[in-house]
Amino acid sequence: MKIPFLDLRRQYQQIKHEIDAEIQRVLSDGFFIGGVPVLDFENAFSKFSGATDCISCANGTDALEIALKALGIGRGDEVLVPANSWVSTAEAVNNVGAEPVFVDVIEREYTIDPGLLESVITDQTKAIIPVHLYGLPARMADITVIAKKYDLKIIEDCAQAHGAQLNGRAVGTFGEAATFSFYPSKNLGAYGDAGAIVTSDLHLAGKMRRIANHGLLGKHDHQLIGRTSRLDTLQASVLLIKLHYLEQWVLKRNLVASWYNEYLREDIARPVNMDGVYHAFHLYVIRTKYRKDLIELFDDLGIGYGIHYPVPIPLINSYSYKGHNRNQFPIASKLSEEIISLPMYPELSEREVKYICDQINTIG
């Protein structure tokens, strides 16, 4: 049985009639930048996220850079980021002229370890970017206490956490701002690149909106140095349709995760289940010392997989200038050798999940 790591065609077939009709409507209108669909999506997504305002933009990396710039973070500043994440979390810091400071992660949770934050805070530290990795909320209560103690800004990276909650509160509402990616593979995915920032700070929202649009306050009235980072009308229309399904899709992801939990051998490390946490399960990540053997088996059988991520960010080539080594990030380094992401999307059947688990259970 061949099972892809991700199959977006299955999702499309379920909502094809809505998507096709809306795309045709946008094409017929001939209005491709801005307009009512973008405003409607921003309003709907801010309501979904529990924030006052949503500023749409071109992608999740732009969202991080715009938020950092709007908060006044730049040359000479430091920003704390987790060692285990996608590279854009750190790249965005460099791209506004600041310096990322890497922090190891919690072994079972994979998110930034609040217990290590104070040891790396300096007079130059201005912000923390906690990443709700794989869909699991970071420990925001502890992070918030430290941020307040040292007067640090919090930018939540929610690129993998659409629909996740912490004690009934949506991720993205704990800091000054939160950023989202709508890359096609995300829980809420566009049919191309797209992103957004949410905040309940109206002044910050206005500044971020201007940065994303050439610093404009009004036509030809450039108040600050900005950039072009827009969500186009077609993508906004697609996202608005999909947003109506997001809650049930995340619920189904949790069901798929429960099937994995049921059928995997007890000794295989799987995602943690914690009180007060609603996991969005963008990814279902297990750990095994026999990853190489499992990859060979999956390749032979045609079962898809991913490794998120094979090298901790501070150890990738683009950050070699920092001179870091594995011993400085023992947990992230250990995880990089053992983690493997299994197929995870709402359209997976219990039969497919059981088949995948049956194969995994033969290894080791």
Side-chain angles (χ1 to χ4, degrees), residues 15 18-19 22-23 25-26 31-45 54-59 182 188-196 230-244:
I15 57 175
E18 294 180 75
I19 294 290
E22 185 62 16
I23 289 176
R25 187 192 66 78
V26 173
F31 198 83
F32 305 118
I33 298 294
V36 172
V38 174
L39 294 175
D40 284 349
F41 173 72
E42 289 182 338
N43 290 333
F45 193 70
C54 169
I55 301 91
S56 61
C57 60
N59 55 68
F182 303 123
L188 179 62
Y191 289 162
D193 276 316
R230 304 185 184 110
L231 173 65
D232 71 59
T233 312
L234 273 170
Q235 300 303 345
S237 300
V238 168
L239 288 169
L240 188 56
I241 290 172
K242 287 189 170 189
L243 184 58
H244 297 146

Side-chain angles (χ1 to χ4, degrees), residues 60-255:
T61 306
D62 277 5
L64 283 166
E65 292 180 21
I66 291 165
L68 286 162
K69 185 173 181 179
L71 287 167
I73 294 166
R75 194 168 305 280
D77 296 334
E78 295 176 347
V79 179
L80 309 185
V81 300
N84 182 39
S85 180
W86 176 238
V87 67
S88 61
T89 308
E91 277 182 331
V93 177
N94 290 98
N95 287 340
V96 298
E99 194 63 35
V101 175
F102 297 106
V103 181
D104 211 355
V105 296
I106 303 169
E107 184 163 0
R108 289 298 308 281
E109 300 170 38
Y110 310 141
T111 56
I112 196 166
D113 188 343
L116 301 176
L117 293 176
E118 290 190 275
S119 66
V120 295
I121 292 173
T122 70
D123 291 341
Q124 285 72 49
T125 308
K126 296 298 186 293
I128 306 170
I129 304 181
V131 180
H132 305 302
L133 198 68
Y134 310 149
L136 179 71
R139 293 191 181 185
M140 294 310 302
D142 296 335
I143 292 169
T144 301
V145 168
I146 294 168
K148 287 181 178 178
K149 180 178 178 180
Y150 293 93
D151 192 25
L152 305 179
K153 305 299 185 183
I154 296 175
I155 302 171
E156 296 174 70
D157 185 337
C158 304
Q160 299 184 10
H162 313 68
Q165 297 179 9
L166 189 55
N167 296 319
R169 182 176 171 183
V171 297
T173 60
F174 293 89
E176 278 70 27
T179 64
F180 290 83
S181 167
F182 303 123
Y183 187 76
S185 64
K186 304 300 186 184
N187 290 15
L188 179 62
Y191 289 162
D193 276 316
I197 317 156
V198 299
T199 183
S200 291
D201 183 326
L202 295 180
H203 174 74
L204 182 63
K207 189 173 183 181
M208 291 191 292
R209 198 174 295 280
R210 289 194 294 276
I211 290 172
N213 190 28
H214 298 293
L216 283 168
L217 183 61
K219 191 171 184 179
H220 302 304
D221 183 7
H222 304 272
Q223 294 291 312
L224 47 80
I225 302 297
R227 62 196 296 169
T228 306
S229 186
R230 304 185 184 110
L231 173 65
D232 71 59
T233 312
L234 273 170
Q235 300 303 345
S237 300
V238 168
L239 288 169
L240 188 56
I241 290 172
K242 287 189 170 189
L243 184 58
H244 297 146
Y245 294 91
L246 180 57
E247 194 170 320
Q248 70 185 62
W249 285 342
V250 175
L251 191 64
K252 181 62 187 300
R253 286 174 179 272
N254 274 266
L255 178 60

